[in-house]
Each structure stands twice: as C-alpha cells, then as structure tokens.
Amino acid sequence: MASALFFYLFAVLAVVAGASVILTKNPVHAVLFLILAFFNAAGLFVLLQAEFLAMLLVIVYVGAVAVLFLFVVMMLDVDFAELKAGFIKNAKIGALIGGIVLVELIALFGYRGFTVSPVMNPSAPIPASITNTRALGEILYTQYVYYFQGAGLILLVAMIGAIVLTLKHRQGVKRQSISAQVARGPATGLEVVKVPSGGSVIPPAVKHPEAAE
Amino acid sequence: MDSSVLYVILPELILALGAIALLMIGVFSPNGETSGRNVTWLAIAVLVAAAVAVFEGSGSSAIFGGAFVSDSFTRFLKIVILVGAALTLLMTFDSFSRAKLLLFEYPVLVLLATLGMLMMVSANDLIALYLGLELQSLALYVVAAFKRDDVQSSEAGLKYFVLGALSSGMLLYGASMLYGVTGSTSYATIAAAAKMPEMATNIGLTFGLVFVLVGLAFKVAAVPFHMWTPDVYQGAPTPVTAFFAGAPKIAAMALLLRFTQAALPGVSSQWEQIIIFVSIASMALGSFAAIGQTNIKRLLAYSSIGNVGFALIGLAANNTEGTAGVLIYLVIYVAMTLGAFACVLAMQRNGRFVESISDLSGLAKTNLTFATILAVLMFSLAGIPPLAGFWAKWYVFLPAIKAGLYPLSVIGVVTSVVGAYYYLRVVKIMFFDEPAEGFSPTEGRTFAVMALSAAFVVAFVLPFVGGTVVDAATAAASVLVPAH
C-alpha cells in the first residue's frame, strides 16, 4: 500500500518535471526541473530495490551532469528563440519524413508478427543471493570486461581527437613563470641611474621575453 | 579468468598497450618533429610485433563468452591489416614532414584504429562488432581532418564524421532489431534462432539484417552508400587516404563476411540479393564515374568503390571458394592500392605535391622507373594477365560462375573492361603524351613501398608467392565456411 503510494508520488512528479523541462522558457528552470526528474527516477529505482542505480543516478546525474548543464546554460549565451526558429523552419519536413517512416513501420509490424522467439531467453533472471552492486560489477567487470575496455579505448580516441583537432598552442600569451620570478635578483631587477640635478630620466622600456615572440 | 585468454588476445593487447605507451612518450617528449618521427617508428615496431604475435597464434578459440574469436580466418586478415597499416605509416614521413604534420598523435591514432580493425575481424557478437567498428571509425574521422588548417581536410573529416555517424545509427538500429527477434547478440545464438522455421518469414529479422548491411556497406564504401568516398579521399592528406583505402576496407569486409556467414547462414537468400545488387551497382559506378576524373586521388577513390564491388561477387557466391576469393582479392587489392598511393605520394614537383592526372604526362621520358612501376600497377588494376589483378578477379568470378550467378559474372566482366579504359588512359598519358616537367627524386621509403607492391603484383603468378596466398586464403575460408 505504502509502496504504491510512493510509486504514484514519484511517477507523477517525474512526469510533471520531465514535461516542465521542455515546456519552461527559462533554460535555468529547465535544468532545475531536470534535477527534480532525476531525483524522482532515483526514488522509483529504490522502490524496485535497485539501490545502486538510485545512488548512481543521484551522484552521477544530479551531482555531475546536471550541475555541468547548469554551468553551460549559465555561461554560454545561447539564444534559444533563435534555435527554435531554425527548428520550426525545418520541423515540417522533419515531421513529414518522420511520419512516413512511422506509418511504414506500423504497417510493417502490424502486417506480420514481430515476436521474440520463445527458445531464446528474453530476460535474465534476477540474482537473489548477491547484492545489486556485486551483480552489476560481475557483469560489467567480469562477463563484459572486453566490451568495457573497448568502450574505454573509444573514449580515449575521442579525447585524443578533440585535443588534436582543437588545441592551439597560442604564441604571445603572457604566462607566469615562477622559476624566472624567483631567480630574479638585484642584478637583473634593479637599475641604478644617476639623475642629473634638475633633469629627468626616461625609464628603460620594460622587456617581456614572452611578449616579444 | 585464466591466462590462456590473454594469449589469445595478445596482438590486441600489444596494440592497446603500445598505443597508450606511445601516447605517453609523445606527450612527455619535447614538441616537434623529432618526437613525431620517433613515435612513428615505434608505432611501426608495435604493428610488426602485433603481426608476429598473430603469426605465432594457432588453433581456434572463442573467448569472452564467444564474443571474440581467433582462428585461421582472423589470423589471415589480421596479418594483412597489420602489414598494410605498417606500410602506410612508412609512407607518412616525407609528406607529413613537408606539411609540418609529423606529430606523434597520428601514429597513435593509427594504432588505435588498427586495434579497432582487429576487434572487428575477431568480432563474433553484435556488441563486439559495434565497439570495434566505432573504435576504428572514430580514429579515422580524426585523421581525415588531421590537416586541420586546411579547408579540404576539415571538410573531409566533417563529412566522414556526419555520414559515418548516420550509418552507425542505422547499424545499431538493425542490431537492436536482430536482438529483439532472436533474444541474443551472439552470432551463434542468432544463427540458431534464424534457422527455426517460423523465423523464415519474420519481418523483424529481415529488417534488422537490412539495416546492419546498410551500415556495413557504408563502411566498405559500396554503392549506394559511397557518396562520401571521393570527397574524403581527395580532401584527406594523401598518406591518410592511403591508409583509408587499405586496412579499414579489409576489416569491414571481414566483418561483412563473418556477419553473413556466421550469424545469418540460415537466411542467405535474404542477404544474397542485397549483396548482388550492391556488388553490381558498385562495379558499374566504379567503372563509369571514374572515366571523367582528373584528380588521381578521386580516380583511385572510384577505383576502390569498383574493387569493393568485385570483392563482393565472392561473397554473393556464398561458398568456401567464394569466401577464399574475397580474401585473395583483398590481399591483392591492398598491395595494388598501397603501391598506387605510394606513386601519388611520389608525385612532387619543386617540393610541392601534385595530384592531377595530367601532371603524369610523358613521365616515361623523364623518369622511366617511376612510369614503369605505375604502369604495372595500372595494368594490374585493369586486370591484365598475368599480373595479380587478373588473378584477383579470376578467384572471385570462378566461384560465382560455379554457383550459377551468370548475370552477375557477365556484368562484372563488362564493367571490368570499362574500368580498364581509365586505368590504361593513365598509362597512355605517361608513355605517349608530351613530357611535362619531371618530378623531384622519390624519397627512399615511399619508393620501397612502390617497388615492393609492383614486385608482388608481378610475382603473384609464381607458385611460391601466389600459391602461398591462395593456400592460406583457402585454409582461412574453410574455417569460416565449411565446404558443403
């Protein structure tokens, strides 16, 4: 009884928050609604006794991803009205093509059976004796270790690619060189000039070794 | 997990750890050409070490729950891929050094792409297929745009990336369909499910296999999924194009072979017609569209499209000899293509690279060795006996005729004759046109690849060269497709 009550609470809130993400005009509000949706989804996971996934959702998605979104939305000056204008311009063609594909797919699968063949196991049994975390770990790091490492290499390639294609070592940028600053002594940092009485001295031009490049 | 698993994936481990180690060496050594040069040599050493590890392997084994297989089929193709990748790296020094592109990231990305190709060759599961394919593709997108200050190179990278992502999406969609109807991502289970009588009329299975084939056809640049090829081949730096034309094609063809033969042998009537159509369309477009080209890289792009069409004839035959024919074709194709691109890299005048076919005019009078080597390669690509290109076609046409695919074979021969026109036109321009200004002397390593390739093409008719390749290919094919 209580679990049903909580299910409806979390489910309704998740759906409302999810709809608000795409309906609010203010992007910062949208991200905040997204965080609300994540929290409610985590609640649903807890009801399903998938406590590890619930923790993961809160830590990774709320803690890192959503906060990152918030930063991006606040830092970048994105004109959403302009983006929407482009979307509306192409929406008709997109909707037409999408509609045709949808009708085709419905016709296709409505015409003949689209069934999971019975001899093959459609879903794996839920392991009863071990914890969630351990079950996931065994799948991810033992059974699928090859895929896990392969995916890791793909991410490495993505990282190398992003750096290779975008990193520019800019010349003429003034950077702090701590060792040079520390090594500076009276011999290099001080100049004694003799000021003639009643005259003035034009200070020598300050030289920045890096700015000269 | 016992240590025998590590022994089976030793070549992949060497490449993965080698790539990471070289990345560290590159990052922590002072910037500049020296580190790029050293890392490139080390990458060649890593590729050779991996090839030795592949060569030392024996027997058939499936590890990681059957997702990764190693047998004489995978070993044959892996050696070709590794040798092809090493030779393309050997050709980069001179060209990249002139373009100020001799950076350590390139060999590292090539190593990772090659690792993806090895994973593709060994893939025996839809997830393994996708991971290998993405690892390879992602690295290739980056190296296509490697000359990032150049508009053409950036355009090539972007075009390749957008279209490649689309094709990956289609492939994934098809894979999800196959998983949905069969309940498994493993080739063996899919094959078992596809054999069941009620699956013969299952729309989901057909649908899934069509989408996966579309994705794979894009990767091998078969018509009608070839649009990106000429632009990417022309825009990417020439050593990168040479790499594109060789090893990745072999890996994608290997994937296609294993996917059709190991996962879907029960529904061969479904995919055979697709392969036949793609094969005919590729051969026809490869022959006719190449005629009007003036840029030699575009010409070779269309040539590679046509060659994929010819190789697919062997797959359409759907038997051991046909599969062996595909493998023989791939070896010879890689040898010819590497030689042809080495020639393109040697086309430089006053320190600048030229890519136009008219720049070759009268080459026989200014540089006879160069002209002879390129002529041999062009004759071979045209399929003139007794050069290797003729035997490549021989070994794919013969099984197709035996399998009763007469229209396909006839169209293949006709398009082969049409294709001979533009290959021979290059020879004619070199030998009979007014000489243009001569090229600068060819750099030693590039010349070595040219000479090696021409020597292989000429010597293929000898039993200890051609015979060895044919025997190894037949042994490899009989593992994948046992004789009926």
Side-chain angles (χ1 to χ4, degrees), chain A residues 142-208:
Chain A
T142 306
Q143 195 182 339
Y144 286 167
V145 64
Y146 173 57
Y147 302 150
F148 186 74
Q149 295 297 332
L153 285 170
I154 293 175
L155 292 177
L156 177 67
V157 169
M159 200 170 82
I160 299 172
I163 293 172
V164 167
L165 295 182
T166 56
L167 181 67
K168 282 212 184 346
H169 290 285
R170 270 191 293 178
Q171 302 290 314
V173 179
K174 286 173 186 160
R175 290 196 178 85
Q176 187 177 21
S177 170
I178 293 170
S179 57
Q181 287 176 338
V182 172
R184 197 173 131 108
T188 52
L190 204 67
E191 191 184 0
V192 182
V193 288
K194 211 170 178 78
V195 187
S197 65
S200 69
V201 166
I202 299 160
V206 182
K207 273 190 187 164
H208 291 287

Side-chain angles (χ1 to χ4, degrees), chain B residues 109-182:
Chain B
L109 285 169
V110 167
L111 279 188
L112 288 166
T114 314
L115 172 63
M117 293 173 212
L118 299 200
M119 288 166 69
M120 285 159 76
V121 170
S122 277
N124 198 35
D125 184 293
L126 291 175
I127 304 176
L129 176 159
Y130 184 69
L131 285 177
L133 194 68
E134 276 307 289
L135 181 57
Q136 179 238 34
S137 305
L138 204 57
L140 293 190
Y141 304 147
V142 178
V143 292
F146 202 66
K147 200 175 180 180
R148 62 182 192 187
D149 300 323
D150 182 70
V151 178
Q152 277 200 338
S153 178
S154 307
E155 185 198 326
L158 191 66
K159 228 173 215 175
Y160 196 16
F161 174 66
V162 171
L163 291 175
L166 183 72
S167 82
S168 284
M170 292 203 177
L171 188 135
L172 265 190
Y173 184 53
S176 75
M177 288 278 181
L178 288 180
Y179 177 62
V181 292
T182 61

Side-chain angles (χ1 to χ4, degrees), chain B residues 42-342:
Chain B
L42 287 172
I44 293 172
V46 169
L47 288 170
V48 170
V52 171
V54 173
F55 195 75
E56 289 296 311
S58 61
S60 295
S61 41
I63 52 172
F64 300 125
F68 184 99
V69 286
S70 171
D71 51 34
S72 56
F73 174 78
T74 63
R75 279 195 290 277
F76 181 86
L77 287 163
K78 281 180 185 178
I79 286 180
V80 182
I81 288 172
L82 289 166
V83 171
L87 287 179
T88 42
L89 273 187
L90 204 60
M91 296 194 291
T92 55
F93 292 103
D94 181 43
S95 160
F96 272 6
S97 158
R98 279 167 199 271
K100 303 231 180 309
L101 279 179
L102 200 54
L103 307 168
F104 72 88
E105 286 96 342
Y106 179 70
V108 169
L109 285 169
V110 167
L111 279 188
L112 288 166
T114 314
L115 172 63
M117 293 173 212
L118 299 200
M119 288 166 69
M120 285 159 76
V121 170
S122 277
N124 198 35
D125 184 293
L126 291 175
I127 304 176
L129 176 159
Y130 184 69
L131 285 177
L133 194 68
E134 276 307 289
L135 181 57
Q136 179 238 34
S137 305
L138 204 57
L140 293 190
Y141 304 147
V142 178
V143 292
F146 202 66
K147 200 175 180 180
R148 62 182 192 187
D149 300 323
D150 182 70
V151 178
Q152 277 200 338
S153 178
S154 307
E155 185 198 326
L158 191 66
K159 228 173 215 175
Y160 196 16
F161 174 66
V162 171
L163 291 175
L166 183 72
S167 82
S168 284
M170 292 203 177
L171 188 135
L172 265 190
Y173 184 53
S176 75
M177 288 278 181
L178 288 180
Y179 177 62
V181 292
T182 61
S184 173
T185 57
S186 155
Y187 284 5
T189 321
I190 292 173
K195 275 206 185 75
M196 292 192 304
E198 68 262 33
M199 294 298 279
T201 54
N202 192 305
I203 291 276
L205 187 73
T206 317
F207 216 76
L209 103 87
V210 168
F211 271 89
V212 174
L213 286 185
V214 166
L216 293 181
F218 177 90
K219 299 292 175 194
V220 295
V223 179
F225 310 104
H226 65 284
M227 307 290 185
W228 57 277
T229 321
D231 292 340
V232 172
Y233 275 37
Q234 189 187 0
T238 311
V240 176
T241 315
F243 182 57
F244 281 2
K249 288 269 165 83
I250 304 177
M253 284 298 284
L255 207 58
L256 200 55
L257 280 173
R258 192 179 281 283
F259 176 69
T260 49
Q261 301 288 6
L264 302 163
V267 286
S268 60
S269 58
Q270 306 271 7
W271 53 260
E272 256 176 34
Q273 43 184 321
I274 301 173
I275 297 293
I276 289 175
F277 169 75
V278 167
S279 168
I280 291 176
S282 304
M283 289 188 296
L285 187 116
S287 307
F288 286 102
I291 291 174
Q293 300 303 325
T294 53
N295 181 299
I296 188 124
K297 277 162 86 179
R298 279 187 95 82
L299 180 98
L300 288 172
Y302 282 106
S303 157
S304 85
I305 294 172
N307 275 307
V308 164
F310 287 115
L312 286 174
I313 293 178
L315 177 56
N318 191 20
N319 52 28
T320 317
E321 294 82 43
T323 308
V326 177
L327 299 184
I328 298 166
Y329 200 101
L330 289 176
V331 173
I332 296 175
Y333 162 76
V334 166
M336 294 188 300
T337 308
L338 283 183
F341 274 105

Side-chain angles (χ1 to χ4, degrees), chain A residues 120-150:
Chain A
M120 309 304 159
N121 45 348
S123 68
I126 298 167
S129 56
I130 54 173
T131 63
N132 251 303
T133 317
R134 190 171 161 185
L136 278 171
E138 277 186 358
I139 288 175
L140 202 55
Y141 301 114
T142 306
Q143 195 182 339
Y144 286 167
V145 64
Y146 173 57
Y147 302 150
F148 186 74
Q149 295 297 332

Side-chain angles (χ1 to χ4, degrees), chain A residues 14 17-18 20-22 24 27-41 61-62 65-67 69-70:
Chain A
S20 307
V21 172
I22 50 173
T24 45
V28 177
H29 292 173
V31 175
L32 292 174
F33 274 119
L34 188 67
I35 293 174
L36 183 62
F38 282 150
F39 267 115
N40 286 295
Y61 280 88
V62 178
V65 176
V67 172
F69 277 178
L70 206 56

